[in-house]
Amino acid sequence: MERTKIIIDTDIGDDIDDALAIALALESPELDVIGITTVFKNVTARAKLAVNLLSMAGRSDIPVYAGIASPILNKVDINEIPCQYSEEKDGHANGFGKNGNDFIVDTIMKSDGDITLVPIGPLTNIAVSILREPAFKHKVKEIVMMGGCFYSHLSEWNIRCDPEAARIVFESGIPIRAVGLDVTVQCVLTEEDVNRLKTSHKQSGAYIPELLDRWYKVAKHLPMMHDPLAVCAVFDNRMLEFQQDEIVVETQGEFTRGQTYNRSALYWRANAEQSVIKAAKHVDAEAFIKLYMDRVCF
């Protein structure tokens, strides 16, 4: 089997779905995870979480790099500790690089154009890579991302955290398959699923039970599988139906900043055929949850 090389760019540590997405990637033989980078706010704490997750999964061979903490324009607290981070258990973690942006650019530029970027957080690292190296956008095979909301009006978190970065990425010309809230909110674990994750004997998910417990101290809902669905989209074309659309990112609106605006709907799809962006419109949520649980729990 030819494996797809991927770099996962993540804001692991806030919502539990980042950790769940990495576990799925590790359990997917179709994927070759060649690196993980962190983005947004306390990227060092996030990198330590990723290092520990990989270590407990027996995959310390995968390099981890702390990326860019601050959005291009938005102001954030770069020292804020993610809710899943434990100084006692994660503070000692080391063995990660300090410049994720260098890793992304260098790895892509030295490649044969066969690497897919999988950003499941704000798009700052990817946008800065595009700005740094003019040839970068011609060397990326594809971007398969979680972010946006394309068939209803909503400013989704990953885009809203850095709208300028999202705009740079969406206007780069790199082929994009975007998995947004239109479909991810339909993919929710049950209490039974969560209990199975907590008792799974799969090494790839060895850190998941503890991270779930930490997350549940602040979360008031069952896990929504936003990021795992994007990872699934890299290797499985059965779960999602994508539609080619012209998408623009709103950066100016007082109430609409961060929205991924679907211009194809306004102009009767006149410009959709020229777009390199495909947005997920429909999902087989039941089939996806089954695939996830089968891979990560059994």
Side-chain angles (χ1 to χ4, degrees), residues 88-122:
E88 178 184 358
K89 296 191 176 181
D90 300 312
H92 68 281
N94 52 33
F96 60 91
K98 299 294 180 66
N99 198 324
N101 192 243
D102 284 346
F103 170 75
I104 292 173
V105 172
D106 293 345
T107 304
I108 291 294
M109 295 310 297
K110 292 176 182 176
S111 75
D112 296 325
D114 57 347
I115 298 174
T116 295
L117 297 177
V118 186
I120 52 177

Side-chain angles (χ1 to χ4, degrees), residues 230-243:
V231 168
C232 178
V234 178
F235 64 85
D236 193 312
N237 60 10
R238 300 168 299 170
M239 304 297 173
L240 288 162
E241 177 189 334
F242 286 88
Q243 181 167 295

Side-chain angles (χ1 to χ4, degrees), residues 187-204:
C187 303
V188 185
L189 296 185
T190 65
E191 289 188 17
E192 181 182 358
D193 294 331
V194 173
N195 290 333
R196 286 168 60 195
L197 283 172
K198 288 184 175 182
T199 57
S200 171
H201 297 293
K202 281 284 187 79
Q203 188 176 5
S204 62

